Every structure is written in C-alpha cells, then in structure tokens.
Amino acid sequence: SHSYVGPDYSVQKNTGKISLEQIDTLSVKSFPLCMRQLHKALRDNHHLRHGGRMQYGLFLKGIGLTLEQALEFWKKEFIRGKVDADKFDKGYAYSIRHSYGKEGKRTDYTPYSCMKIIMSNPPSQGDYHGCPFRHSDPELLKQKLQSYKIPPSGITQILELVKGMHYQLACQKYFELTHDVDDIGFSLNHPNQYFTESQRLLTGGRELKKEPSNSGNSQQKSNSQESMNSNSTPTSSNTTTDAELEGLEAYFTED
C-alpha cells in the first residue's frame, strides 16, 4: 500500500554535470533536510555507516554524479577518517560500483523515495540516515532548524506538521521556508524531486504554479502522501526495487 509510483530518477539527463566542488554549496541550497544531514555528518565524521551510505550514495547518483565522481568523492572523505586507500578499495569501492550496475547482477539501482525512507530501516544510535521529520526527537529537530536559520514561526509550523505525522508536508514547508516561496506548487514525494525542483527554481527554470486552494487541501495532500495510492500498482521499473536493494545491501560492510 506504500508503493512509490513516481519517477525513479534512474535515467539521468544531468549525469556528469555536477562537479564535486559544488556539493557543499548544493547541500545547503538544494538538498532536502535528510540529505543535508547526511552530507554534514559525512563531512564532520569522514564516515557514514551502512544505511547512510545507501541512502546518500543513491541520492548523489540520482542528482548526476558519475561512477568515477562517486568513487573519488567517497574515497577522499573516508581517507580523511580512519580508512586508508587500500581498505577503501577492498571494502567500499565494490559496493559503489555495484550500486551503479557495474558489478553483480548489473542492476541500475534507484534512489530512495520519501516513503521508503520514512517506512523502512529506521536509524539507530550512530546513524544519520532516515527522515529527520520522522525519526528525529522534536527538540533536536527544532535545534537543527534553528541552526539553519529557519524563522521561529516556520519552525512552529513544521513541528505541528510533524506532530500530526505529516512528514512530507513538513519537508514541503522546509522547502518553502528555505526558498522564500509561499507555495511550492507540487506534492513532494522524493528527495531527488526536491533537488530538481530547487534547482529549477534557483536557476529560473520554472515558474511556481499555485495549486488550487480548497478546504482541506493540505489534509488531502497529506492523505495521498501517507497512503501513496494504496490501490495503485507500482510501475515495472519499481516492482523489484526492494528485493534488488536487499541484494545491494549484502555488498555493504557495516562499519
């Protein structure tokens, strides 16, 4: 009932158009909070555990990083930590190539949708993956939003949506507050969609479209996002995603 039926972001028109030097800036301007959190944790700790590498690595692939860029990005960061080059090549490089369909079954793995992040593999202590609106303590989420200069009134709105378990609507509100718009004009259901729409807006690639306002519109959006079309069947490109990802996870080391 929670199948994601939107674009899977597996076919990338922008592959190779993003440089590694841009990622720090993009993480502040155009990453959803879940990916911004993962990027900061990686820069601070020079390491991410299994779940974080899966979630963030596939997102980066989805925004256009090539396999060669991904290998360089992860290797440089891990070497800054406790992983030497030889250990990286033996323990981590294979799994990155595997996620790009270059090893194993040659499956082209797709980035995680919001619903998958919200509904599966909750983070444990020491993890930074998951959905901050779903998995963070409200007080810690409030502090994080304050550190990102979200105005108090906006933080209150986000926390109310979180309290009502409307996590994707909370992320939409975060988008509006960080992009200084009143209405994003679309229903958010994928981190890579967030990135794409942010870039379109910031580069003047699209005009904001106002969704028709009617009573209960927010609740309708929430319900549709929470249920994710319970009567729908996933598209063929998504029907085996979970099984394939389980196969990919087997190639990631846990440390």
Side-chain angles (χ1 to χ4, degrees):
S1 63
H2 296 293
S3 297
Y4 171 69
V5 295
D8 62 12
Y9 298 93
S10 61
V11 179
Q12 287 305 310
K13 298 177 181 178
N14 297 320
T15 300
K17 292 185 179 179
I18 293 176
S19 70
L20 297 182
E21 291 72 26
Q22 291 176 290
I23 293 180
D24 287 322
T25 299
L26 289 172
S27 72
V28 174
K29 291 183 175 181
S30 292
F31 282 17
L33 189 57
C34 58
M35 300 305 173
R36 186 175 181 178
Q37 173 176 283
L38 281 164
H39 181 75
K40 186 177 187 304
L42 179 61
R43 289 301 198 208
D44 289 347
N45 303 322
H46 313 299
H47 189 273
L48 283 177
R49 294 177 65 186
H50 168 74
R53 297 196 300 273
M54 291 282 289
Q55 182 175 318
Y56 191 39
L58 290 173
F59 169 79
L60 290 174
K61 175 188 175 186
I63 69 173
L65 250 62
T66 64
L67 172 58
E68 291 72 23
Q69 286 177 312
L71 287 167
E72 180 183 349
F73 173 76
W74 289 99
K75 187 172 186 174
K76 280 185 175 179
E77 201 60 53
F78 274 42
I79 287 175
R80 291 190 179 105
K82 299 178 180 179
V83 178
D84 61 33
D86 186 58
K87 181 178 179 181
F88 179 89
D89 290 339
K90 291 180 178 178
Y92 298 94
Y94 180 91
S95 61
I96 295 171
R97 292 195 300 272
H98 193 271
S99 69
Y100 275 77
K102 302 302 181 184
E103 300 285 358
K105 294 182 178 180
R106 310 279 173 169
T107 301
D108 189 18
Y109 294 96
T110 57
Y112 292 179
S113 67
C114 292
M115 192 54 66
K116 180 174 180 61
I117 293 171
I118 291 170
M119 299 296 291
S120 62
N121 190 26
S124 302
Q125 186 174 1
D127 287 327
Y128 295 91
H129 67 273
C131 171
F133 302 106
R134 167 66 178 86
H135 297 115
S136 292
D137 175 83
E139 185 57 35
L140 293 177
L141 176 61
K142 179 180 179 180
Q143 293 174 15
K144 185 185 296 290
L145 294 171
Q146 288 173 336
S147 72
Y148 291 161
K149 311 302 182 186
I150 304 299
S153 60
I155 294 176
T156 298
Q157 289 176 291
I158 288 174
L159 292 178
E160 281 298 311
L161 289 166
V162 168
K163 187 177 180 180
M165 296 188 293
H166 305 311
Y167 309 119
Q168 287 159 261
L169 291 180
C171 193
Q172 288 185 195
K173 178 58 64 176
Y174 175 79
F175 184 108
E176 292 168 0
L177 292 165
T178 54
H179 291 76
D180 195 25
V181 295
D182 294 328
D183 189 338
I184 61 176
F186 61 89
S187 293
L188 180 65
N189 49 40
H190 202 292
N192 289 83
Q193 176 196 21
Y194 183 111
F195 176 82
T196 298
E197 295 293 344
S198 171
Q199 283 293 288
R200 286 181 184 175
L201 180 60
L202 293 174
T203 60
R206 74 174 179 92
E207 295 291 332
L208 279 176
K209 295 180 180 178
K210 296 287 185 180
E211 290 188 342
S213 59
N214 53 57
S215 59
N217 186 50
S218 294
Q219 185 64 44
Q220 289 173 6
K221 286 199 290 185
S222 170
N223 289 340
S224 67
Q225 291 170 13
E226 300 288 346
S227 64
M228 292 304 291
N229 300 322
S230 59
N231 295 321
S232 299
T233 302
T235 59
S236 59
S237 63
N238 286 284
T239 52
T240 58
T241 297
D242 287 342
E244 291 169 349
L245 283 169
E246 288 175 6
L248 174 58
E249 287 168 359
Y251 291 97
F252 278 81
T253 55
E254 286 291 339
D255 63 349

